[in-house]
Amino acid sequence: MAFVGSLGTAAWALSIVLQVCLFRLLVYRRNFLRFPVFTAYIVAAILQSASFVYLYYFSHWDEAAMSEAAWSVQGLVTLMRVAAIMELCHHVFIRYPGIRTMIFRALALCVLVVATFAFAFGHRVLSLKLLYADRAVGLSLASAIVLLFLFARYYHVQPREPLQSMSIGFFLYSCFVVLNDSILEVFISTYGPLWNFLGLLSFIASLLLWCAVLRHGYEEWQAPPQLLPAAIYHDVSSEVNLRLKLLDERLSRFLKRNGT
Amino acid sequence: MTPFLYVMAGSAISLALLLVWLLGRPARDARKPWNLEDNVSHIQYFPQMSQAVSSLDERYLRSRGRADLARAVRLERRRILFAFLAALQEEFRRLTQLARVIASLSPEVAPAQEFARFRLHLAFLYRLQVVRAKLRLGAQALPELGEVSNLVSAVRVRMDAAMKELGERAALAAEMASALDRGNSNFG
């Protein structure tokens, strides 16, 4: 896999260039004002790349120390990624404060449950715990983004650009992390260099998508819509639920009577 | 290869497919646009539906030796009955859709109620399909159809009242805002 080494270096260089370009676009188009957390995430990714350059080319640490440092930095960047995705969710439902609170809770619960599920399973090899954690975060974030779009469809909320493309970028990267880490777990001795290279490629794809969508400036969103008095929701919602429940019970009774 | 690799890969691929479906444009709705002020409800056709599922006419035709005609009438009435059920379902879908829109425009929502409505709506759709299947098999579901119709009617009446209340409150809010603006300009 010698070719992976040189290609990997080229991909690494390309990803750094794209990160810098994206940061420049965020500043130049003033999108950093609207997406401060996403901008912070890109800055963190740039700093991560810089720290890797230092670690691998200028430091004289042993391999274990370098690996620990690299995973620690990766952990911080992953936390920034979680925050950036939460920022996107906030923007998608910014005009709907009532359902936004509920959806935030549902997404948080989804992230916790999926991450626990993904982390709890596996070969339980102690040295792979970081890999499990990385994969668990990837799967939970991918699930959270899908759940976000499910809620948006259910409540007839259309995620506007650039929010949709930015979310897709995060989804593609998170999904690929899950696949890549799972394959690495099985073929840990031979897949290592390719794992790194493919991970970089998926990140480059997400960076290209973000660059493409953020090359435009976006107008400020309109003011929130006029909200209804809370009493209307409580009246209507409880009434509809009651009727649905009654309907369900009567249909159920009918089916039992007919021997189903 | 481990089973867990398959689970993980399957989860990732399923999520990707689900996202593709979610991002796809919803099928063009060829149905007639819904007007809130349109008070026509399918409940008004219930007497005709009662006639459609009655077996008296069919028995009469058979007794007169017109079995072929009786069969044709039964098939035609069955078709009409299914169309009625589809219309009831559509009416209910629109009402619950309205409830979702009201939820999205409310300053606060009750997650338990939202979840309960979602779950009950799914249950309703499932049972409606079972009722359809039973009708296909020849069951007479007239009393239950009456209950279904009454329920849809009651929901509709309540939603209409809510929309009326909403309109009145919106008018009142606009009036108050206008009055406040006038007050501000007076003090400005």
Side-chain angles (χ1 to χ4, degrees), chain A residues 95-99 102 105 117-118 121-123 135 139 142-143 145-146 149-150 153-157 164 168 171 175 178-179 182-183 185-187 225-241 243-255 257-260, chain B residues 1-2 4-5 7-9 11-13 15-16 18-19 21-27 92 95-97 99-114 116-118 120-121 123-124 126-128 130-131 134 139-141 143-144 147-148 151 154-155 158-159 162 165-166 169:
Chain A
R95 289 154 55 90
Y96 308 94
I99 55 172
M102 181 187 70
R105 286 179 190 157
F117 159 77
F121 291 93
H123 282 166
R135 183 174 60 189
L139 188 64
S143 310
I145 291 169
V146 169
F149 280 102
L150 267 174
R153 197 180 176 106
Y154 183 73
Y155 285 108
H156 305 280
V157 174
Q164 183 166 307
I168 293 171
F171 175 82
C175 234
V178 176
L179 289 173
S182 299
I183 297 172
E185 185 189 351
V186 181
F187 304 106
Q226 286 286 328
L227 295 175
L228 305 175
I232 287 184
Y233 167 76
H234 289 294
D235 289 353
V236 173
S237 185
S238 55
E239 187 70 26
V240 170
N241 284 8
R243 297 294 173 183
L244 275 168
K245 195 175 177 187
L246 283 172
L247 177 66
D248 186 45
E249 282 170 5
R250 289 181 191 186
L251 275 173
S252 178
R253 232 182 295 153
F254 162 72
L255 292 173
R257 206 182 305 159
N258 284 276
T260 302
Chain B
M1 290 285 180
T2 64
F4 193 64
L5 174 62
V7 172
M8 280 293 161
S11 305
I13 292 167
L15 284 173
L18 186 57
L19 188 68
W21 174 74
L22 284 170
L23 292 174
R25 286 179 64 188
F92 212 95
L95 291 171
T96 49
Q97 189 175 332
R100 290 206 294 264
V101 171
I102 288 175
S104 67
L105 291 176
S106 295
E108 56 182 38
V109 298
Q113 277 200 4
E114 292 299 301
R117 187 170 63 245
F118 176 69
L120 285 167
H121 196 186
F124 163 70
Y126 164 72
R127 293 192 202 284
L128 201 64
V130 178
V131 169
K134 285 197 153 290
Q140 301 292 320
E144 289 71 23
E147 288 172 351
V148 170
L151 287 167
V155 173
R158 186 63 196 92
M159 297 295 273
E165 188 181 354
L166 176 63
R169 287 186 190 217

Side-chain angles (χ1 to χ4, degrees), chain A residues 105-119 136 140-141 143-144:
Chain A
R105 286 179 190 157
L107 289 179
L109 186 68
C110 164
V111 166
L112 272 177
V113 169
V114 176
T116 308
F117 159 77
F119 190 72
S140 60
L141 290 183
S143 310

Side-chain angles (χ1 to χ4, degrees), chain A residues 13-169:
Chain A
L14 178 62
S15 78
I16 295 172
V17 170
L18 284 173
Q19 286 166 44
V20 173
C21 284
L22 179 57
F23 177 69
R24 191 174 166 276
L25 279 174
L26 282 164
V27 174
Y28 181 66
R29 297 290 183 189
R30 302 183 70 78
N31 282 320
F32 71 97
L33 294 172
R34 185 171 300 156
F35 303 111
V37 183
F38 179 76
T39 308
Y41 165 65
I42 295 301
V43 170
I46 293 171
L47 292 176
Q48 182 190 28
S49 301
S51 72
F52 282 2
V53 170
Y54 172 76
L55 279 174
Y56 288 108
Y57 292 104
F58 298 107
S59 76
H60 301 290
W61 297 4
D62 59 63
E63 201 173 324
M66 273 204 300
S67 176
E68 277 179 23
W71 274 111
S72 305
V73 175
Q74 177 65 34
L76 290 175
V77 174
T78 302
L79 280 179
M80 292 301 298
R81 199 165 88 219
V82 174
I85 291 174
M86 294 307 273
E87 184 185 49
L88 291 182
C89 299
H90 169 77
H91 279 300
V92 168
F93 293 102
I94 197 165
R95 289 154 55 90
Y96 308 94
I99 55 172
R100 187 180 61 204
T101 310
M102 181 187 70
I103 289 167
F104 255 64
R105 286 179 190 157
L107 289 179
L109 186 68
C110 164
V111 166
L112 272 177
V113 169
V114 176
T116 308
F117 159 77
F119 190 72
F121 291 93
H123 282 166
R124 311 275 14 108
V125 180
L126 204 63
S127 59
L128 293 182
K129 270 201 166 177
L130 282 170
L131 192 71
Y132 296 150
D134 191 43
R135 183 174 60 189
V137 172
L139 188 64
S140 60
L141 290 183
S143 310
I145 291 169
V146 169
L147 193 61
L148 169 78
F149 280 102
L150 267 174
F151 273 120
R153 197 180 176 106
Y154 183 73
Y155 285 108
H156 305 280
V157 174
Q158 178 67 41
R160 301 167 53 147
E161 289 296 4
L163 299 174
Q164 183 166 307
S165 298
M166 288 169 79
S167 305
I168 293 171

Side-chain angles (χ1 to χ4, degrees), chain B residues 1-69:
Chain B
M1 290 285 180
T2 64
F4 193 64
L5 174 62
Y6 290 121
V7 172
M8 280 293 161
S11 305
I13 292 167
S14 306
L15 284 173
L17 291 175
L18 186 57
L19 188 68
V20 168
W21 174 74
L22 284 170
L23 292 174
R25 286 179 64 188
R28 177 173 276 184
D29 200 344
R31 291 170 288 218
K32 186 184 160 195
W34 188 33
N35 186 358
L36 279 175
E37 290 166 359
D38 180 10
N39 280 321
V40 176
S41 171
H42 298 99
I43 309 301
Q44 63 180 310
Y45 303 117
F46 190 68
Q48 289 88 332
M49 292 305 112
S50 306
Q51 183 70 21
V53 290
S54 168
S55 58
L56 286 175
D57 296 343
E58 193 182 334
R59 271 187 297 191
Y60 171 74
L61 286 172
R62 282 187 192 282
S63 69
R64 306 288 291 180
R66 300 295 306 272
D68 53 336
L69 184 60

Side-chain angles (χ1 to χ4, degrees), chain A residues 189-256:
Chain A
S189 55
T190 54
Y191 189 64
L194 196 58
W195 170 78
N196 215 357
F197 175 62
L198 293 179
L200 266 172
L201 279 190
S202 66
F203 189 51
I204 286 170
S206 295
L207 282 170
L208 283 171
L209 184 62
W210 292 332
C211 285
V213 77
L214 289 169
R215 72 183 191 280
H216 307 292
Y218 289 92
E219 290 175 10
E220 282 297 323
W221 287 306
Q222 296 163 355
Q226 286 286 328
L227 295 175
L228 305 175
I232 287 184
Y233 167 76
H234 289 294
D235 289 353
V236 173
S237 185
S238 55
E239 187 70 26
V240 170
N241 284 8
L242 181 66
R243 297 294 173 183
L244 275 168
K245 195 175 177 187
L246 283 172
L247 177 66
D248 186 45
E249 282 170 5
R250 289 181 191 186
L251 275 173
S252 178
R253 232 182 295 153
F254 162 72
L255 292 173
K256 279 177 190 162

